[in-house]
Amino acid sequence: MSAIVLAVVNQKGGVGKTTTVVNLAASLAEKGKRTLIIDCDPQGNCTTGLGYIPETVNSSVYDVVVLGQPITSATIPTAVENLWLVPATLQLAGAEIELVGLPRREYRLSYALEALDEVYDYVLIDCPPSLGLLTLNAIVASVGLVVPIQCEFYALQGLSLLSHTISLVRQSLKPSLVIVGIIMTLYDARLSLAHQVVDEIRDRFGDELLEPFIPRSVRLSEAPSHGLPITAYDPGGKGTKAYLAVADALEARIHSLFPTISAIPEE
Ligand code: ATP
Ligand code: MG
């Protein structure tokens, strides 16, 4: 058994990366999977969304990736059983520059995670909306990517950029990189544009597209201000149901993609 490490990426901002990391991770945790969130975004949205104030945490992703401290010393519990967090602080903003001069600068998170292999079933990494060294560290450390896509016109442009990035990363750093899943976010079935975007993504990424789509929901946008994932803030609500179902779809896809590493014993 080894941890399935997934980087949640999209260079576009505000597409639902953080919302997906927190709520997908909480859904996996609710299914009894030991899950770790790594907040690799200096904005620290996962950290605040799980009820921590970045300025007050003792240790963060910065200490792990830049200073080389063990990840266990930066791991903190959350209000949710089976869910842990490595928080981000503003210090992490400097990491993009500080990492440039460090040895094996794209592999530092990957090395840090090796120590955790037996501890977690899943590790989900939240990335900033850019392709800097933090995102590259996340990608190199993961077996594959989860890509949230907002159902809007510019989504397809963003996806072309992402495809280009993936081929560059495959050539230079990680030949085995795959897209594990695409998750449609902020979905509003009443909008014909949403259908057009989904149709186009399905044409290009039929296997990767995970269902159901995540609906636009006020509850999902409110939950972080209460420091809770949607599963705790609105159990039984439509956002919770959607993320629980997407977690099932993700697990099924992982089992088919990586049959050897996903031999996670069922509860
Ligand atoms: P960034 O690129 O800045 O890190 P992001 O991709 O992580 O952004 P989020 O922070 O998850 O995106 O979401 C952007 C905004 O949209 C947030 O205010 C969030 O609460 C809201 N949001 C995300 N998903 C939904 C949803 N399904 N329904 C309603 N609001 C949502
Ligand atoms: Mg975010």
Side-chain angles (χ1 to χ4, degrees):
M1 181 185 108
S2 58
I4 308 273
V5 183
L6 301 167
V8 178
V9 296
N10 190 330
Q11 284 133 298
K12 246 180 102 41
V15 297
K17 290 181 290 295
T18 302
T19 305
T20 294
V21 167
V22 169
N23 296 311
L24 195 55
S27 299
L28 291 165
E30 183 153 318
K31 292 168 196 288
K33 304 293 160 63
R34 293 170 64 87
T35 304
L36 176 68
I37 291 176
I38 300 182
D39 191 349
C40 239
D41 183 350
Q43 297 180 95
N45 294 150
C46 281
T47 304
T48 45
L50 287 166
Y52 283 98
I53 301 165
E55 292 77 29
T56 64
V57 298
N58 288 329
S59 220
S60 76
V61 172
Y62 177 88
D63 300 288
V64 176
V65 170
V66 178
L67 303 182
Q69 288 177 7
I71 199 159
T72 44
S73 67
T75 304
I76 51 181
T78 71
V80 176
E81 197 185 347
N82 296 321
L83 185 63
W84 289 264
L85 169 72
V86 179
T89 61
L90 256 184
Q91 227 181 355
L92 197 57
E96 292 283 4
I97 295 166
E98 289 173 62
L99 278 168
V100 172
L102 295 180
R104 305 283 281 167
R105 60 191 182 186
E106 298 96 349
Y107 294 86
R108 300 180 69 89
L109 184 59
S110 183
Y111 294 149
L113 284 179
E114 277 169 17
L116 290 185
D117 227 20
E118 303 294 316
V119 182
Y120 296 99
D121 298 309
Y122 289 98
V123 178
L124 266 57
I125 311 173
D126 191 24
C127 295
S130 62
L131 192 78
L133 278 167
L134 287 171
T135 300
L136 280 177
N137 263 274
I139 292 176
V140 168
S142 62
V143 291
L145 309 181
V146 170
V147 185
I149 294 182
Q150 190 180 341
C151 297
E152 46 131 39
F153 174 69
Y154 295 112
L156 299 169
Q157 244 178 311
L159 206 60
S160 303
L161 190 63
L162 189 73
S163 298
H164 178 65
T165 302
I166 290 172
S167 59
L168 286 180
V169 173
R170 276 192 188 132
Q171 283 164 30
S172 55
L173 292 169
K174 196 169 177 94
S176 64
L177 185 67
V178 291
I179 295 182
V180 172
I182 290 177
I183 297 177
M184 305 307 298
T185 60
L186 292 140
Y187 181 73
D188 184 343
R190 294 167 303 180
L191 303 179
S192 66
L193 179 62
H195 293 279
Q196 285 169 30
V197 172
V198 165
D199 286 346
E200 205 145 331
I201 302 240
R202 193 176 270 125
D203 281 350
R204 283 169 60 186
F205 297 95
D207 293 340
E208 289 86 353
L209 183 59
L210 302 180
E211 297 201 42
F213 307 146
I214 307 299
R216 191 177 278 277
S217 136
V218 175
R219 294 293 209 176
L220 278 170
S221 61
E222 287 170 350
S225 62
H226 297 266
L228 293 171
I230 196 68
T231 44
Y233 178 63
D234 187 24
K238 66 176 183 175
T240 297
K241 284 183 184 148
Y243 272 108
L244 282 169
V246 166
D248 283 339
L250 179 77
E251 288 208 285
R253 168 107 173 119
I254 286 169
H255 284 271
S256 70
L257 273 177
F258 312 111
T260 50
I261 58 169
S262 58
I264 297 169
E266 292 299 326
E267 297 288 299

